[in-house]
Amino acid sequence: MTDHGLRIDLAAIAANWGALAGKAGAARAAAVVKADAYGLGAARVAPALYHAGARDFFVAIASEGRALRHCLPEDARILVLSGHMEGEDLTGLIPVLNSPAQFFRDRATRPGGTFAVQLDSGMNRLGFEPAEWAALRDEILATGPVLLMSHLACADEPDHPANRQQLQVFRQMTDGTGIPRSLAATGGILLGEDYHFDLVRPGVGLYGGLPFAQAQPVVELDLPVIQTRDLSPGESVGYGYTWSASRPARIATVAAGYADGLARALAAKGGLRLWTADGVACPVVGRISMDLITVDVTDLPKVPDTLSILNGRQGVDDLAELAGTIGYEILTSLGRRYPRAYS
Ligand SMILES: *Cc1c(COP(=O)(O)O)cnc(C)c1O
């Protein structure tokens, strides 16, 4: 094992799944593992979640589902959120059909095949609109969908009126069907019982991100120091010479940059720090470049071999805040070049 790279805590992911499943009461908890389990590696994450008890897995597109099919036992259901697109091989997968066109394509090419249905309760992104659903509802219900689902647009804002409105629309579209229903992702689980229905679909909360504030942190990232240099007052660092030493300074250069998902925006406002193993914070100075980040280590008695950018003190959502984005984007941007260690 290398001493740098991404450390991904599968036990913490399993614990977060268990905690969210516990909040969902009688509803079954699925696991959303799209985008390679939010960048953390679906081939390792999904089996760990299966082991924890998850049996329903959501991916975004069929190719993700096909890759995942080899990693999970047969009794795991893999649902494809983009539904049935033209020419798609859905063997072993369950498409979540999003439109009349997808429904007719699916029935024509996979007669009798298992499917779910997504309804648009207001987000205007994916799913049957109320009028489309009203027109086809009886025909679709007669062919036996395994799940009717919809997705909330504002669940991370508990007081947003859209939550209640979408809940009401979803109920109107699905009450009395007798088919299992699903509305809540991580945010929806936290909105309470009314939103849980039969199946919940947590994603980001499994990976330690907001809005699940009680989540256990899942990822740590240590970057190797590849060179250290001493600067005289007035010397500058990096592209654009945006930072200059105001005192004799020592600068460490670490091997990661925006090509590894550490966006330039992280350092634009100041406030980004890298940490020693003993918890000493060192400010990033100058611009983040494609493969390198420069850190002011003047105050360290000794420059360590690695510095940490993701840890218990500076988590995924802290980086998101610095970069003006959300934890989801930080996670899914984590580069492919890091050595990875799972525990
Ligand atoms: C991504 C996604 C989820 C998971 O959402 P989180 O906010 O990450 O929990 C659930 N359902 C659908 C339809 C999604 O697209």
Side-chain angles (χ1 to χ4, degrees), residues 38 204 209-210 316-317 320-321 325-333:
Y38 291 47
V204 76
L210 289 174
V316 165
D317 287 291
E321 172 96 34
T325 182
I326 52 176
Y328 299 70
E329 196 179 19
I330 298 292
L331 285 169
T332 56
S333 303

Side-chain angles (χ1 to χ4, degrees), residues 8 17 53 77 86 94 105 109 121 125 131 145 149 161 177 180 182 184 217 271 300 305 329 338 341:
I8 296 162
W17 181 82
R77 302 196 299 178
E86 183 87 58
I94 302 175
R105 175 182 301 137
T109 55
S121 56
R125 188 180 69 163
M149 59 171 272
T177 56
S182 175
L300 297 184
D305 294 336
E329 196 179 19
Y338 303 118

Side-chain angles (χ1 to χ4, degrees), residues 32 34 38 81 118 125 149 151 185-187 201-205 328:
V32 179
K34 61 192 179 187
Y38 291 47
L81 290 165
Q118 170 135 240
R125 188 180 69 163
M149 59 171 272
H151 193 51
T186 302
R201 309 184 307 269
V204 76
Y328 299 70

Side-chain angles (χ1 to χ4, degrees), residues 27-30 56 58 147 181-184 196-201:
R28 215 171 134 103
D56 309 281
F58 285 87
L147 183 73
R181 297 187 281 183
S182 175
L183 180 62
H196 296 162
F197 293 92
D198 303 296
L199 181 81
V200 294
R201 309 184 307 269

